[in-house]
Amino acid sequence: MSIDLAAIGGSGLYQFPGLEHPERHSVETPFGPASGDIVCGDFHGRRIAFLARHGESHTLPPHRVNYRANLWALHHLGARRVIGVNAVGGIRDDMGPRVMVVPDQIVDYTHGRFTSFCDVEGAEVKHIDFSEPYTASLRAALLAAATRAGTPAIDGGCYGATQGPRLETRAEIIRMRRDGCDLVGMTGMPEAVLARELDIEYACLALVANFAAGCGDEEEISIEEIFAHLAAATASVPPILAELVSAN
């Protein structure tokens, strides 16, 4: 199967509107079940695949997502370029609610997750270069697509990946700011490194749902406001990806 692009949807993106002739694929993987069926369809003259990272009913918390199965299944179906759509909190002042960011670096604070396809008996151990965790050419294409779609994204930034599902304390965000993080999310890793192990081109489209703890004017983060911001930002994702596939 030839797939021009695959998108992994985060919180707020559970179906992909605009797919024509959709086909659902349940893929058996050596690593167990993926988050759900992969939906493939025609989109602006190209074939794309979509997978809801948390399941179509948001039943999987970040630390329970089977990232290995998800990436393996997409690769098995022929995906060689993947956009990870991630809901995040903003740490940097210009990364407030409804802003889109295409980060260029990541810091991994997660624990207890399967972070490599090498984590099975008999597998070849690969020491991959991860100096630049996102594919530069795909990042550039994604940024250009966002501009053409009328929703420019911020170029660059460091994504801090936390364990979840709880939000972070103010002290944790202070530490992350000291570490150089501009965004905080719960699903950026190990997705990015698993894509690299499979030689999949990978970039992140981060949708800012809220300011992180202590970074905005609010004393308490409202989950209702988070999902309202996500709904608004998510509406821009299909037009951006339409520009991306149309140009490549």
Side-chain angles (χ1 to χ4, degrees):
M1 181 184 298
S2 176
I3 295 175
D4 291 286
L5 184 76
I8 301 176
S11 297
L13 186 59
Y14 310 114
Q15 288 86 31
F16 196 88
L19 281 186
E20 298 179 349
H21 313 112
E23 299 175 352
R24 301 181 72 92
H25 298 268
S26 178
V27 181
E28 293 186 10
T29 87
F31 308 98
S35 294
D37 288 349
I38 296 171
V39 183
C40 299
D42 297 323
F43 184 67
H44 290 264
R46 301 297 181 94
R47 193 73 173 167
I48 75 165
F50 175 76
L51 174 63
R53 186 185 289 114
H54 298 283
E56 294 181 357
S57 299
H58 199 113
T59 54
L60 295 169
H63 63 297
R64 295 295 187 190
V65 171
N66 192 339
Y67 297 94
R68 291 191 300 181
N70 288 350
L71 270 297
W72 192 95
L74 288 171
H75 186 266
H76 177 75
L77 288 176
R80 296 298 180 267
R81 297 192 303 161
V82 172
I83 301 296
V85 182
N86 298 79
V88 298
I91 298 175
R92 210 167 82 186
D93 292 344
D94 60 339
M95 295 181 178
R98 306 193 184 192
V99 169
M100 293 192 175
V101 185
V102 179
D104 61 349
Q105 278 297 326
I106 195 163
V107 177
D108 188 5
Y109 299 96
T110 66
H111 53 85
R113 303 183 184 189
F114 289 108
T115 61
S116 172
F117 291 106
C118 302
D119 289 334
V120 291
E121 187 174 351
E124 177 188 357
V125 177
K126 293 183 178 180
H127 299 284
I128 60 167
D129 176 27
F130 205 52
S131 304
E132 303 295 332
Y134 303 107
T135 305
S137 58
L138 187 55
R139 284 190 65 256
L142 183 58
L143 286 161
T147 298
R148 291 194 301 273
T151 52
I154 293 176
D155 180 0
C158 183
Y159 179 129
T162 58
Q163 183 71 356
R166 67 167 178 85
L167 300 180
E168 300 74 29
T169 68
R170 289 173 182 257
E172 287 170 332
I173 295 299
I174 290 171
R175 179 189 67 165
M176 294 179 71
R177 190 192 290 272
R178 285 199 307 264
D179 288 349
C181 296
D182 304 300
L183 301 165
V184 56
M186 303 173 188
T187 54
M189 285 290 284
E191 195 169 276
V193 72
L194 293 170
R196 181 62 54 84
E197 286 191 354
L198 291 174
D199 291 323
I200 292 174
E201 294 184 23
Y202 181 86
C204 167
L205 180 60
L207 314 182
V208 182
N210 59 283
F211 272 117
C215 296
D217 297 329
E218 301 295 329
E219 288 295 321
E220 185 174 335
I221 296 173
S222 164
I223 299 302
E224 291 75 18
E225 287 186 5
I226 285 177
F227 279 97
H229 292 316
L230 275 179
T234 296
S236 299
V237 173
I240 291 173
L241 297 189
E243 291 290 343
L244 180 61
V245 298
S246 296
N248 294 273

